[in-house]
Protein backbone atom coordinates (compact mmCIF):
# COMPACT_ATOMS: atom_id res chain seq x y z
CA UNK A 1 0.00 0.00 0.00
CA UNK A 2 0.86 3.66 -0.13
CA UNK A 3 0.25 6.32 2.50
CA UNK A 4 1.09 10.00 2.96
CA UNK A 5 0.70 12.68 5.61
CA UNK A 6 0.99 16.47 5.33
CA UNK A 7 0.86 19.06 8.09
CA UNK A 8 0.85 22.87 7.82
CA UNK A 9 1.27 25.37 10.63
CA UNK A 10 -0.71 28.49 9.66
CA UNK A 11 0.32 31.13 12.14
CA UNK A 12 0.74 30.62 15.86
CA UNK A 13 -2.71 29.14 16.56
CA UNK A 14 -3.89 27.26 13.44
CA UNK A 15 -2.78 23.93 12.01
CA UNK A 16 -4.03 21.90 9.02
CA UNK A 17 -3.30 18.21 8.56
CA UNK A 18 -4.13 15.82 5.72
CA UNK A 19 -3.44 12.12 5.32
CA UNK A 20 -4.43 9.35 2.99
CA UNK A 21 -3.73 5.72 2.17
CA UNK A 22 -4.49 3.14 -0.49
CA UNK A 23 -4.05 -0.53 0.40
CA UNK A 24 -4.86 -3.81 -1.29
CA UNK A 25 -5.43 -7.12 0.44
CA UNK A 26 -5.72 -10.60 -0.99
CA UNK A 27 -6.75 -13.80 0.75
CA UNK A 28 -8.06 -17.20 -0.28
CA UNK A 29 -11.32 -16.69 1.64
CA UNK A 30 -12.30 -13.16 0.60
CA UNK A 31 -10.42 -12.57 -2.67
CA UNK A 32 -8.92 -9.18 -3.49
CA UNK A 33 -10.07 -5.93 -1.83
CA UNK A 34 -8.93 -2.31 -2.07
CA UNK A 35 -9.11 0.10 0.89
CA UNK A 36 -8.92 3.88 0.48
CA UNK A 37 -8.82 6.33 3.40
CA UNK A 38 -8.44 10.11 3.60
CA UNK A 39 -8.47 12.53 6.51
CA UNK A 40 -8.45 16.31 6.77
CA UNK A 41 -8.22 18.15 10.11
CA UNK A 42 -8.15 21.85 11.02
CA UNK A 43 -7.10 22.75 14.57
CA UNK A 44 -7.22 26.12 16.31
CA UNK A 45 -5.75 26.97 19.71
CA UNK A 46 -8.36 29.06 21.56
CA UNK A 47 -6.22 29.71 24.64
CA UNK A 48 -3.22 28.34 26.50
CA UNK A 49 -5.02 25.08 27.38
CA UNK A 50 -8.11 25.05 25.15
CA UNK A 51 -8.24 23.95 21.51
CA UNK A 52 -10.84 23.25 18.83
CA UNK A 53 -10.53 20.69 16.01
CA UNK A 54 -12.75 20.03 13.01
CA UNK A 55 -12.13 16.85 11.06
CA UNK A 56 -13.37 14.97 8.01
CA UNK A 57 -12.67 11.31 7.32
CA UNK A 58 -13.40 9.30 4.16
CA UNK A 59 -13.14 5.50 3.98
CA UNK A 60 -13.95 3.22 1.06
CA UNK A 61 -13.76 -0.54 0.64
CA UNK A 62 -13.94 -1.88 -2.90
CA UNK A 63 -13.75 -5.64 -3.46
CA UNK A 64 -12.49 -6.83 -6.83
CA UNK A 65 -15.56 -8.40 -8.46
CA UNK A 66 -13.50 -10.48 -10.88
CA UNK A 67 -11.66 -12.36 -8.13
CA UNK A 68 -14.71 -13.99 -6.52
CA UNK A 69 -14.48 -11.64 -3.55
CA UNK A 70 -17.02 -12.04 -0.76
CA UNK A 71 -16.34 -8.54 0.63
CA UNK A 72 -18.89 -5.74 0.51
CA UNK A 73 -18.63 -2.28 -1.01
CA UNK A 74 -18.95 0.56 1.46
CA UNK A 75 -18.18 4.23 1.80
CA UNK A 76 -18.08 6.16 5.08
CA UNK A 77 -18.00 9.96 5.42
CA UNK A 78 -17.46 11.15 9.00
CA UNK A 79 -17.32 14.73 10.27
CA UNK A 80 -16.15 15.36 13.83
CA UNK A 81 -15.77 18.38 16.09
CA UNK A 82 -13.57 18.21 19.22
CA UNK A 83 -13.04 20.66 22.05
CA UNK A 84 -9.71 19.82 23.71
CA UNK A 85 -8.64 20.90 27.18
CA UNK A 86 -5.19 20.12 28.53
CA UNK A 87 -4.27 20.56 32.18
Amino acid sequence: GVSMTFSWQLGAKTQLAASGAINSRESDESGSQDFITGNLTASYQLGSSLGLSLGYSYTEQDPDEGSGSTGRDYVANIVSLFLNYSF
Side-chain angles (χ1 to χ4, degrees), residues 7-18:
S7 181
W8 300 274
Q9 186 73 38
L10 303 171
K13 296 184 175 189
T14 306
Q15 181 176 12
L16 294 177

Side-chain angles (χ1 to χ4, degrees), residues 33-50:
Q33 297 182 21
D34 294 327
F35 297 92
I36 301 169
T37 59
N39 300 292
L40 181 61
T41 304
S43 301
Y44 184 76
Q45 196 67 32
L46 297 170
S48 61
S49 57
L50 189 63

Side-chain angles (χ1 to χ4, degrees), residues 10 16 26 33 50 52 54 65 77 84-85:
L10 303 171
L16 294 177
E26 290 188 30
Q33 297 182 21
L50 189 63
L52 185 66
L54 177 64
E65 296 175 17
N77 293 286
N84 307 305
Y85 181 79

Side-chain angles (χ1 to χ4, degrees), residues 8-84:
W8 300 274
Q9 186 73 38
L10 303 171
K13 296 184 175 189
T14 306
Q15 181 176 12
L16 294 177
S19 63
I22 299 173
N23 296 297
S24 293
R25 179 177 69 180
E26 290 188 30
S27 69
D28 292 336
E29 296 84 27
S30 62
S32 175
Q33 297 182 21
D34 294 327
F35 297 92
I36 301 169
T37 59
N39 300 292
L40 181 61
T41 304
S43 301
Y44 184 76
Q45 196 67 32
L46 297 170
S48 61
S49 57
L50 189 63
L52 185 66
S53 296
L54 177 64
Y56 170 72
S57 178
Y58 173 84
T59 304
E60 179 180 340
Q61 176 180 311
D62 187 20
D64 184 8
E65 296 175 17
S67 67
S69 175
T70 59
R72 297 177 187 248
D73 284 342
Y74 75 81
V75 173
N77 293 286
I78 300 171
V79 176
S80 55
L81 178 66
F82 294 101
L83 185 62
N84 307 305

